Amino acid sequence: MIRLTTETTQKAIEKCKQLKPKVKFIKDRLFVVYSANNSNVYHVRFDVKDGGKFGQCECRASEKGLVCYHLIAGATANIYRQSLKRAN
Ligand SMILES: [Zn+2]
């Protein structure tokens, strides 16, 4: 899994803001992100270990160890979900 930090996510956040991909919640910490460029869909997973946030996507960028915009889209949805849970 790839560690999500301010540094590693910076470029992907910019791309995510531009492309605004659709995200669908599957189950706890698992999301499907629809590619903004084509008909591909990617499953993204998240984990929290040793106080750090980690994520994994199925696309080629993620295989290379890069944070892709799919991960950011999923992470944004994940944070939103967590905040809803807390509010209830
Ligand atoms: Zn990806």
Side-chain angles (χ1 to χ4, degrees), residues 6-37:
T6 315
E7 264 178 26
T8 61
T9 56
Q10 198 174 20
K11 278 185 190 166
I13 287 171
E14 286 306 313
K15 204 168 176 187
C16 190
K17 276 184 197 164
Q18 284 173 12
L19 297 172
K20 297 187 179 72
K22 280 184 192 160
V23 183
K24 196 174 148 192
F25 171 71
I26 302 294
K27 61 178 188 180
D28 205 26
R29 288 176 180 170
L30 180 66
F31 296 83
V32 163
V33 180
Y34 297 84
S35 172
N37 305 316

PDB file of all heavy atoms in Angstrom, residues 6-37:
ATOM      1  N   THR A   6       0.926  14.628   2.857  1.00  0.00           N
ATOM      2  CA  THR A   6       0.701  15.896   2.158  1.00  0.00           C
ATOM      3  C   THR A   6       1.537  15.952   0.877  1.00  0.00           C
ATOM      4  O   THR A   6       1.069  16.412  -0.162  1.00  0.00           O
ATOM      5  CB  THR A   6       1.102  17.077   3.074  1.00  0.00           C
ATOM      6  OG1 THR A   6       0.581  16.826   4.365  1.00  0.00           O
ATOM      7  CG2 THR A   6       0.556  18.385   2.553  1.00  0.00           C
ATOM      8  N   GLU A   7       2.772  15.438   0.980  1.00  0.00           N
ATOM      9  CA  GLU A   7       3.664  15.466  -0.180  1.00  0.00           C
ATOM     10  C   GLU A   7       3.238  14.510  -1.283  1.00  0.00           C
ATOM     11  O   GLU A   7       3.179  14.884  -2.451  1.00  0.00           O
ATOM     12  CB  GLU A   7       5.087  15.099   0.256  1.00  0.00           C
ATOM     13  CG  GLU A   7       5.936  16.305   0.533  1.00  0.00           C
ATOM     14  CD  GLU A   7       7.322  15.911   1.006  1.00  0.00           C
ATOM     15  OE1 GLU A   7       7.790  14.810   0.665  1.00  0.00           O
ATOM     16  OE2 GLU A   7       7.918  16.710   1.728  1.00  0.00           O
ATOM     17  N   THR A   8       2.953  13.254  -0.912  1.00  0.00           N
ATOM     18  CA  THR A   8       2.655  12.263  -1.949  1.00  0.00           C
ATOM     19  C   THR A   8       1.307  12.502  -2.613  1.00  0.00           C
ATOM     20  O   THR A   8       1.065  12.027  -3.718  1.00  0.00           O
ATOM     21  CB  THR A   8       2.679  10.816  -1.386  1.00  0.00           C
ATOM     22  OG1 THR A   8       1.687  10.692  -0.363  1.00  0.00           O
ATOM     23  CG2 THR A   8       4.039  10.459  -0.816  1.00  0.00           C
ATOM     24  N   THR A   9       0.414  13.224  -1.946  1.00  0.00           N
ATOM     25  CA  THR A   9      -0.928  13.396  -2.494  1.00  0.00           C
ATOM     26  C   THR A   9      -1.114  14.712  -3.255  1.00  0.00           C
ATOM     27  O   THR A   9      -2.122  14.904  -3.916  1.00  0.00           O
ATOM     28  CB  THR A   9      -1.985  13.346  -1.369  1.00  0.00           C
ATOM     29  OG1 THR A   9      -1.664  14.333  -0.379  1.00  0.00           O
ATOM     30  CG2 THR A   9      -2.039  11.987  -0.722  1.00  0.00           C
ATOM     31  N   GLN A  10      -0.124  15.590  -3.166  1.00  0.00           N
ATOM     32  CA  GLN A  10      -0.271  16.953  -3.702  1.00  0.00           C
ATOM     33  C   GLN A  10      -0.724  17.003  -5.169  1.00  0.00           C
ATOM     34  O   GLN A  10      -1.728  17.632  -5.500  1.00  0.00           O
ATOM     35  CB  GLN A  10       1.046  17.691  -3.550  1.00  0.00           C
ATOM     36  CG  GLN A  10       0.892  19.189  -3.671  1.00  0.00           C
ATOM     37  CD  GLN A  10       2.201  19.916  -3.374  1.00  0.00           C
ATOM     38  OE1 GLN A  10       3.281  19.318  -3.443  1.00  0.00           O
ATOM     39  NE2 GLN A  10       2.113  21.173  -3.058  1.00  0.00           N
ATOM     40  N   LYS A  11       0.010  16.303  -6.047  1.00  0.00           N
ATOM     41  CA  LYS A  11      -0.311  16.339  -7.480  1.00  0.00           C
ATOM     42  C   LYS A  11      -1.648  15.687  -7.773  1.00  0.00           C
ATOM     43  O   LYS A  11      -2.418  16.157  -8.596  1.00  0.00           O
ATOM     44  CB  LYS A  11       0.786  15.622  -8.280  1.00  0.00           C
ATOM     45  CG  LYS A  11       1.978  16.496  -8.547  1.00  0.00           C
ATOM     46  CD  LYS A  11       2.967  15.766  -9.429  1.00  0.00           C
ATOM     47  CE  LYS A  11       4.278  16.531  -9.493  1.00  0.00           C
ATOM     48  NZ  LYS A  11       5.355  15.701 -10.046  1.00  0.00           N
ATOM     49  N   ALA A  12      -1.902  14.579  -7.091  1.00  0.00           N
ATOM     50  CA  ALA A  12      -3.140  13.836  -7.317  1.00  0.00           C
ATOM     51  C   ALA A  12      -4.352  14.658  -6.887  1.00  0.00           C
ATOM     52  O   ALA A  12      -5.410  14.582  -7.504  1.00  0.00           O
ATOM     53  CB  ALA A  12      -3.096  12.506  -6.568  1.00  0.00           C
ATOM     54  N   ILE A  13      -4.197  15.449  -5.834  1.00  0.00           N
ATOM     55  CA  ILE A  13      -5.296  16.300  -5.374  1.00  0.00           C
ATOM     56  C   ILE A  13      -5.659  17.318  -6.453  1.00  0.00           C
ATOM     57  O   ILE A  13      -6.835  17.529  -6.761  1.00  0.00           O
ATOM     58  CB  ILE A  13      -4.945  16.996  -4.041  1.00  0.00           C
ATOM     59  CG1 ILE A  13      -4.981  15.973  -2.897  1.00  0.00           C
ATOM     60  CG2 ILE A  13      -5.906  18.148  -3.749  1.00  0.00           C
ATOM     61  CD1 ILE A  13      -4.442  16.478  -1.576  1.00  0.00           C
ATOM     62  N   GLU A  14      -4.639  17.913  -7.070  1.00  0.00           N
ATOM     63  CA  GLU A  14      -4.877  18.879  -8.149  1.00  0.00           C
ATOM     64  C   GLU A  14      -5.633  18.225  -9.302  1.00  0.00           C
ATOM     65  O   GLU A  14      -6.579  18.784  -9.841  1.00  0.00           O
ATOM     66  CB  GLU A  14      -3.539  19.432  -8.666  1.00  0.00           C
ATOM     67  CG  GLU A  14      -2.886  20.412  -7.706  1.00  0.00           C
ATOM     68  CD  GLU A  14      -3.818  21.556  -7.308  1.00  0.00           C
ATOM     69  OE1 GLU A  14      -4.450  22.129  -8.212  1.00  0.00           O
ATOM     70  OE2 GLU A  14      -3.930  21.836  -6.102  1.00  0.00           O
ATOM     71  N   LYS A  15      -5.178  17.014  -9.674  1.00  0.00           N
ATOM     72  CA  LYS A  15      -5.801  16.300 -10.783  1.00  0.00           C
ATOM     73  C   LYS A  15      -7.238  15.914 -10.437  1.00  0.00           C
ATOM     74  O   LYS A  15      -8.137  16.004 -11.281  1.00  0.00           O
ATOM     75  CB  LYS A  15      -4.983  15.045 -11.116  1.00  0.00           C
ATOM     76  CG  LYS A  15      -5.180  14.565 -12.521  1.00  0.00           C
ATOM     77  CD  LYS A  15      -4.155  13.526 -12.901  1.00  0.00           C
ATOM     78  CE  LYS A  15      -4.432  12.989 -14.280  1.00  0.00           C
ATOM     79  NZ  LYS A  15      -3.555  11.865 -14.637  1.00  0.00           N
ATOM     80  N   CYS A  16      -7.443  15.504  -9.224  1.00  0.00           N
ATOM     81  CA  CYS A  16      -8.771  15.094  -8.773  1.00  0.00           C
ATOM     82  C   CYS A  16      -9.745  16.275  -8.817  1.00  0.00           C
ATOM     83  O   CYS A  16     -10.895  16.135  -9.201  1.00  0.00           O
ATOM     84  CB  CYS A  16      -8.681  14.524  -7.363  1.00  0.00           C
ATOM     85  SG  CYS A  16     -10.193  13.739  -6.811  1.00  0.00           S
ATOM     86  N   LYS A  17      -9.259  17.459  -8.439  1.00  0.00           N
ATOM     87  CA  LYS A  17     -10.091  18.665  -8.469  1.00  0.00           C
ATOM     88  C   LYS A  17     -10.528  18.995  -9.884  1.00  0.00           C
ATOM     89  O   LYS A  17     -11.637  19.468 -10.120  1.00  0.00           O
ATOM     90  CB  LYS A  17      -9.313  19.849  -7.895  1.00  0.00           C
ATOM     91  CG  LYS A  17      -9.370  19.931  -6.380  1.00  0.00           C
ATOM     92  CD  LYS A  17      -8.662  21.197  -5.926  1.00  0.00           C
ATOM     93  CE  LYS A  17      -8.321  21.147  -4.455  1.00  0.00           C
ATOM     94  NZ  LYS A  17      -7.321  22.166  -4.089  1.00  0.00           N
ATOM     95  N   GLN A  18      -9.613  18.763 -10.835  1.00  0.00           N
ATOM     96  CA  GLN A  18      -9.924  19.049 -12.240  1.00  0.00           C
ATOM     97  C   GLN A  18     -10.914  18.047 -12.802  1.00  0.00           C
ATOM     98  O   GLN A  18     -11.860  18.386 -13.497  1.00  0.00           O
ATOM     99  CB  GLN A  18      -8.655  18.991 -13.079  1.00  0.00           C
ATOM    100  CG  GLN A  18      -7.765  20.211 -12.929  1.00  0.00           C
ATOM    101  CD  GLN A  18      -6.442  20.010 -13.655  1.00  0.00           C
ATOM    102  OE1 GLN A  18      -6.285  19.072 -14.439  1.00  0.00           O
ATOM    103  NE2 GLN A  18      -5.487  20.877 -13.393  1.00  0.00           N
ATOM    104  N   LEU A  19     -10.663  16.756 -12.519  1.00  0.00           N
ATOM    105  CA  LEU A  19     -11.413  15.685 -13.175  1.00  0.00           C
ATOM    106  C   LEU A  19     -12.705  15.312 -12.454  1.00  0.00           C
ATOM    107  O   LEU A  19     -13.645  14.827 -13.082  1.00  0.00           O
ATOM    108  CB  LEU A  19     -10.528  14.444 -13.312  1.00  0.00           C
ATOM    109  CG  LEU A  19      -9.290  14.629 -14.196  1.00  0.00           C
ATOM    110  CD1 LEU A  19      -8.382  13.416 -14.101  1.00  0.00           C
ATOM    111  CD2 LEU A  19      -9.695  14.862 -15.643  1.00  0.00           C
ATOM    112  N   LYS A  20     -12.736  15.532 -11.139  1.00  0.00           N
ATOM    113  CA  LYS A  20     -13.924  15.207 -10.333  1.00  0.00           C
ATOM    114  C   LYS A  20     -14.526  13.836 -10.683  1.00  0.00           C
ATOM    115  O   LYS A  20     -15.669  13.754 -11.157  1.00  0.00           O
ATOM    116  CB  LYS A  20     -14.996  16.285 -10.505  1.00  0.00           C
ATOM    117  CG  LYS A  20     -14.566  17.652 -10.017  1.00  0.00           C
ATOM    118  CD  LYS A  20     -15.763  18.609 -10.066  1.00  0.00           C
ATOM    119  CE  LYS A  20     -15.406  19.981  -9.567  1.00  0.00           C
ATOM    120  NZ  LYS A  20     -14.550  20.727 -10.521  1.00  0.00           N
ATOM    121  N   PRO A  21     -13.782  12.775 -10.471  1.00  0.00           N
ATOM    122  CA  PRO A  21     -14.313  11.436 -10.788  1.00  0.00           C
ATOM    123  C   PRO A  21     -15.428  11.027  -9.829  1.00  0.00           C
ATOM    124  O   PRO A  21     -15.489  11.510  -8.696  1.00  0.00           O
ATOM    125  CB  PRO A  21     -13.097  10.532 -10.616  1.00  0.00           C
ATOM    126  CG  PRO A  21     -12.238  11.243  -9.632  1.00  0.00           C
ATOM    127  CD  PRO A  21     -12.443  12.710  -9.876  1.00  0.00           C
ATOM    128  N   LYS A  22     -16.301  10.173 -10.317  1.00  0.00           N
ATOM    129  CA  LYS A  22     -17.395   9.676  -9.480  1.00  0.00           C
ATOM    130  C   LYS A  22     -16.888   8.549  -8.587  1.00  0.00           C
ATOM    131  O   LYS A  22     -16.070   7.734  -9.000  1.00  0.00           O
ATOM    132  CB  LYS A  22     -18.526   9.142 -10.358  1.00  0.00           C
ATOM    133  CG  LYS A  22     -19.400  10.222 -10.908  1.00  0.00           C
ATOM    134  CD  LYS A  22     -20.544   9.607 -11.680  1.00  0.00           C
ATOM    135  CE  LYS A  22     -21.263  10.679 -12.475  1.00  0.00           C
ATOM    136  NZ  LYS A  22     -22.042  10.089 -13.569  1.00  0.00           N
ATOM    137  N   VAL A  23     -17.402   8.506  -7.373  1.00  0.00           N
ATOM    138  CA  VAL A  23     -16.983   7.496  -6.405  1.00  0.00           C
ATOM    139  C   VAL A  23     -18.211   6.779  -5.869  1.00  0.00           C
ATOM    140  O   VAL A  23     -19.251   7.395  -5.635  1.00  0.00           O
ATOM    141  CB  VAL A  23     -16.245   8.153  -5.215  1.00  0.00           C
ATOM    142  CG1 VAL A  23     -15.743   7.085  -4.251  1.00  0.00           C
ATOM    143  CG2 VAL A  23     -15.094   9.008  -5.692  1.00  0.00           C
ATOM    144  N   LYS A  24     -18.085   5.476  -5.722  1.00  0.00           N
ATOM    145  CA  LYS A  24     -19.177   4.696  -5.144  1.00  0.00           C
ATOM    146  C   LYS A  24     -18.651   3.924  -3.948  1.00  0.00           C
ATOM    147  O   LYS A  24     -17.611   3.275  -4.035  1.00  0.00           O
ATOM    148  CB  LYS A  24     -19.719   3.738  -6.205  1.00  0.00           C
ATOM    149  CG  LYS A  24     -21.055   3.149  -5.878  1.00  0.00           C
ATOM    150  CD  LYS A  24     -21.546   2.340  -7.064  1.00  0.00           C
ATOM    151  CE  LYS A  24     -22.364   1.171  -6.600  1.00  0.00           C
ATOM    152  NZ  LYS A  24     -22.598   0.227  -7.703  1.00  0.00           N
ATOM    153  N   PHE A  25     -19.378   3.991  -2.859  1.00  0.00           N
ATOM    154  CA  PHE A  25     -19.008   3.274  -1.649  1.00  0.00           C
ATOM    155  C   PHE A  25     -19.394   1.805  -1.779  1.00  0.00           C
ATOM    156  O   PHE A  25     -20.509   1.479  -2.177  1.00  0.00           O
ATOM    157  CB  PHE A  25     -19.711   3.912  -0.451  1.00  0.00           C
ATOM    158  CG  PHE A  25     -19.574   3.128   0.823  1.00  0.00           C
ATOM    159  CD1 PHE A  25     -18.359   3.071   1.483  1.00  0.00           C
ATOM    160  CD2 PHE A  25     -20.659   2.464   1.354  1.00  0.00           C
ATOM    161  CE1 PHE A  25     -18.229   2.339   2.659  1.00  0.00           C
ATOM    162  CE2 PHE A  25     -20.536   1.740   2.531  1.00  0.00           C
ATOM    163  CZ  PHE A  25     -19.318   1.673   3.183  1.00  0.00           C
ATOM    164  N   ILE A  26     -18.467   0.899  -1.473  1.00  0.00           N
ATOM    165  CA  ILE A  26     -18.759  -0.538  -1.536  1.00  0.00           C
ATOM    166  C   ILE A  26     -18.979  -1.071  -0.129  1.00  0.00           C
ATOM    167  O   ILE A  26     -20.050  -1.558   0.205  1.00  0.00           O
ATOM    168  CB  ILE A  26     -17.598  -1.314  -2.202  1.00  0.00           C
ATOM    169  CG1 ILE A  26     -17.341  -0.792  -3.612  1.00  0.00           C
ATOM    170  CG2 ILE A  26     -17.905  -2.814  -2.230  1.00  0.00           C
ATOM    171  CD1 ILE A  26     -18.470  -1.042  -4.599  1.00  0.00           C
ATOM    172  N   LYS A  27     -17.948  -1.028   0.668  1.00  0.00           N
ATOM    173  CA  LYS A  27     -18.065  -1.393   2.074  1.00  0.00           C
ATOM    174  C   LYS A  27     -16.958  -0.670   2.824  1.00  0.00           C
ATOM    175  O   LYS A  27     -16.210   0.081   2.214  1.00  0.00           O
ATOM    176  CB  LYS A  27     -17.994  -2.916   2.260  1.00  0.00           C
ATOM    177  CG  LYS A  27     -16.695  -3.524   1.783  1.00  0.00           C
ATOM    178  CD  LYS A  27     -16.676  -5.027   2.052  1.00  0.00           C
ATOM    179  CE  LYS A  27     -15.305  -5.582   1.749  1.00  0.00           C
ATOM    180  NZ  LYS A  27     -15.187  -7.010   1.969  1.00  0.00           N
ATOM    181  N   ASP A  28     -16.863  -0.933   4.106  1.00  0.00           N
ATOM    182  CA  ASP A  28     -15.927  -0.175   4.917  1.00  0.00           C
ATOM    183  C   ASP A  28     -14.546  -0.043   4.275  1.00  0.00           C
ATOM    184  O   ASP A  28     -13.877  -1.040   4.025  1.00  0.00           O
ATOM    185  CB  ASP A  28     -15.814  -0.845   6.286  1.00  0.00           C
ATOM    186  CG  ASP A  28     -15.391   0.157   7.346  1.00  0.00           C
ATOM    187  OD1 ASP A  28     -15.665   1.352   7.170  1.00  0.00           O
ATOM    188  OD2 ASP A  28     -14.790  -0.270   8.342  1.00  0.00           O
ATOM    189  N   ARG A  29     -14.114   1.183   4.005  1.00  0.00           N
ATOM    190  CA  ARG A  29     -12.798   1.509   3.440  1.00  0.00           C
ATOM    191  C   ARG A  29     -12.564   0.971   2.033  1.00  0.00           C
ATOM    192  O   ARG A  29     -11.441   0.925   1.561  1.00  0.00           O
ATOM    193  CB  ARG A  29     -11.672   1.026   4.358  1.00  0.00           C
ATOM    194  CG  ARG A  29     -11.575   1.860   5.611  1.00  0.00           C
ATOM    195  CD  ARG A  29     -10.534   1.298   6.527  1.00  0.00           C
ATOM    196  NE  ARG A  29     -10.430   2.091   7.749  1.00  0.00           N
ATOM    197  CZ  ARG A  29      -9.732   1.716   8.806  1.00  0.00           C
ATOM    198  NH1 ARG A  29      -9.063   0.592   8.795  1.00  0.00           N
ATOM    199  NH2 ARG A  29      -9.687   2.463   9.859  1.00  0.00           N
ATOM    200  N   LEU A  30     -13.605   0.524   1.349  1.00  0.00           N
ATOM    201  CA  LEU A  30     -13.471   0.068  -0.028  1.00  0.00           C
ATOM    202  C   LEU A  30     -14.424   0.857  -0.919  1.00  0.00           C
ATOM    203  O   LEU A  30     -15.623   0.930  -0.648  1.00  0.00           O
ATOM    204  CB  LEU A  30     -13.766  -1.436  -0.122  1.00  0.00           C
ATOM    205  CG  LEU A  30     -13.675  -2.059  -1.510  1.00  0.00           C
ATOM    206  CD1 LEU A  30     -12.242  -2.037  -2.042  1.00  0.00           C
ATOM    207  CD2 LEU A  30     -14.191  -3.490  -1.492  1.00  0.00           C
ATOM    208  N   PHE A  31     -13.846   1.429  -1.989  1.00  0.00           N
ATOM    209  CA  PHE A  31     -14.625   2.271  -2.894  1.00  0.00           C
ATOM    210  C   PHE A  31     -14.357   1.898  -4.339  1.00  0.00           C
ATOM    211  O   PHE A  31     -13.314   1.334  -4.651  1.00  0.00           O
ATOM    212  CB  PHE A  31     -14.252   3.749  -2.704  1.00  0.00           C
ATOM    213  CG  PHE A  31     -14.587   4.285  -1.343  1.00  0.00           C
ATOM    214  CD1 PHE A  31     -13.721   4.088  -0.280  1.00  0.00           C
ATOM    215  CD2 PHE A  31     -15.755   4.979  -1.129  1.00  0.00           C
ATOM    216  CE1 PHE A  31     -14.021   4.570   0.986  1.00  0.00           C
ATOM    217  CE2 PHE A  31     -16.064   5.467   0.132  1.00  0.00           C
ATOM    218  CZ  PHE A  31     -15.204   5.265   1.190  1.00  0.00           C
ATOM    219  N   VAL A  32     -15.296   2.240  -5.202  1.00  0.00           N
ATOM    220  CA  VAL A  32     -15.076   2.133  -6.639  1.00  0.00           C
ATOM    221  C   VAL A  32     -15.006   3.550  -7.176  1.00  0.00           C
ATOM    222  O   VAL A  32     -15.848   4.381  -6.873  1.00  0.00           O
ATOM    223  CB  VAL A  32     -16.207   1.352  -7.339  1.00  0.00           C
ATOM    224  CG1 VAL A  32     -16.196   1.606  -8.833  1.00  0.00           C
ATOM    225  CG2 VAL A  32     -16.072  -0.136  -7.073  1.00  0.00           C
ATOM    226  N   VAL A  33     -13.959   3.820  -7.965  1.00  0.00           N
ATOM    227  CA  VAL A  33     -13.814   5.134  -8.579  1.00  0.00           C
ATOM    228  C   VAL A  33     -13.921   4.960 -10.088  1.00  0.00           C
ATOM    229  O   VAL A  33     -13.260   4.110 -10.676  1.00  0.00           O
ATOM    230  CB  VAL A  33     -12.463   5.779  -8.209  1.00  0.00           C
ATOM    231  CG1 VAL A  33     -12.331   7.153  -8.872  1.00  0.00           C
ATOM    232  CG2 VAL A  33     -12.333   5.910  -6.697  1.00  0.00           C
ATOM    233  N   TYR A  34     -14.774   5.788 -10.710  1.00  0.00           N
ATOM    234  CA  TYR A  34     -14.969   5.735 -12.152  1.00  0.00           C
ATOM    235  C   TYR A  34     -13.980   6.667 -12.816  1.00  0.00           C
ATOM    236  O   TYR A  34     -13.888   7.841 -12.455  1.00  0.00           O
ATOM    237  CB  TYR A  34     -16.401   6.148 -12.502  1.00  0.00           C
ATOM    238  CG  TYR A  34     -17.428   5.212 -11.918  1.00  0.00           C
ATOM    239  CD1 TYR A  34     -17.874   5.369 -10.604  1.00  0.00           C
ATOM    240  CD2 TYR A  34     -17.926   4.155 -12.667  1.00  0.00           C
ATOM    241  CE1 TYR A  34     -18.804   4.491 -10.054  1.00  0.00           C
ATOM    242  CE2 TYR A  34     -18.860   3.276 -12.129  1.00  0.00           C
ATOM    243  CZ  TYR A  34     -19.292   3.451 -10.820  1.00  0.00           C
ATOM    244  OH  TYR A  34     -20.197   2.583 -10.277  1.00  0.00           O
ATOM    245  N   SER A  35     -13.227   6.155 -13.775  1.00  0.00           N
ATOM    246  CA  SER A  35     -12.242   6.971 -14.471  1.00  0.00           C
ATOM    247  C   SER A  35     -12.923   8.134 -15.169  1.00  0.00           C
ATOM    248  O   SER A  35     -13.999   7.991 -15.741  1.00  0.00           O
ATOM    249  CB  SER A  35     -11.487   6.128 -15.504  1.00  0.00           C
ATOM    250  OG  SER A  35     -10.669   6.968 -16.281  1.00  0.00           O
ATOM    251  N   ALA A  36     -12.269   9.301 -15.114  1.00  0.00           N
ATOM    252  CA  ALA A  36     -12.819  10.484 -15.769  1.00  0.00           C
ATOM    253  C   ALA A  36     -12.486  10.466 -17.257  1.00  0.00           C
ATOM    254  O   ALA A  36     -13.093  11.184 -18.044  1.00  0.00           O
ATOM    255  CB  ALA A  36     -12.271  11.738 -15.112  1.00  0.00           C
ATOM    256  N   ASN A  37     -11.518   9.648 -17.670  1.00  0.00           N
ATOM    257  CA  ASN A  37     -11.026   9.658 -19.054  1.00  0.00           C
ATOM    258  C   ASN A  37     -11.642   8.575 -19.931  1.00  0.00           C
ATOM    259  O   ASN A  37     -11.729   8.721 -21.129  1.00  0.00           O
ATOM    260  CB  ASN A  37      -9.509   9.477 -19.082  1.00  0.00           C
ATOM    261  CG  ASN A  37      -8.803  10.507 -18.237  1.00  0.00           C
ATOM    262  OD1 ASN A  37      -9.139  11.682 -18.293  1.00  0.00           O
ATOM    263  ND2 ASN A  37      -7.844  10.069 -17.460  1.00  0.00           N
TER     264      ASN A  37
END
